[in-house]
Amino acid sequence: MTARGVSGGRPVGAVVVGVSDSLAGLAALRRGIVEARRGARTLVAVRAWEPPEGETLFRRWPEPSWARLWADEAWQRLERAFELAAGGPPTDLRIVRRVVEGPTGPVLCSIASSPDDLLVIGMARPRGLAALLHRRPVHRHIPARAACEVLVVAGPRLLPRETRILRRGELVDGPGRLTGLMP
């Protein structure tokens, strides 16, 4: 799936962004929006999903109602990512949204299949024990197999205290004061 336009007499591929609701994924979506605007390209926002119990078990005992539920959740997360990253989908861009069942790396590589495309992915910066345990299969798969240029966007570097605050859902209200989020 490649959306093409014309810029300076040569075809221009789409900007394909792997969308997640992590901080690195939101940074990648913001950068994808910037790149799409810069080149007057189509933004293809992709959210890949897999069954929680694994593809093998799901194929053995498929349940369509569960698959619809997971796909609906993926659509909601895709829309929420636009809200969190940019305050909503940009109105000045042509945006194609895709939710695809499958492993993230192969899904993104199949959608960004033209050499004119630009594939944008986010990468978290784990530290300490998390850095040793985090395998990053997507970040190994995509650069090795992508048919197009890949732009890896690093997530923001947070202090340990900031990470805990974000995980607990608290906001900082002034210097050193914490305020809980309202439901």
Side-chain angles (χ1 to χ4, degrees), residues 10 13 17 29 38 51 65 68 84 130 132 143 146 151 165:
R10 81 176 192 83
V17 181
L29 181 56
R38 180 180 297 153
S65 62
R68 279 192 304 277
L84 293 172
L132 296 174
L151 177 61
I165 289 169

Side-chain angles (χ1 to χ4, degrees), residues 88-100:
T91 57
D92 61 332
L93 290 176
R94 181 172 184 271
I95 300 173
V96 176
R97 294 171 182 85
R98 304 249 342 243
V99 170
V100 182

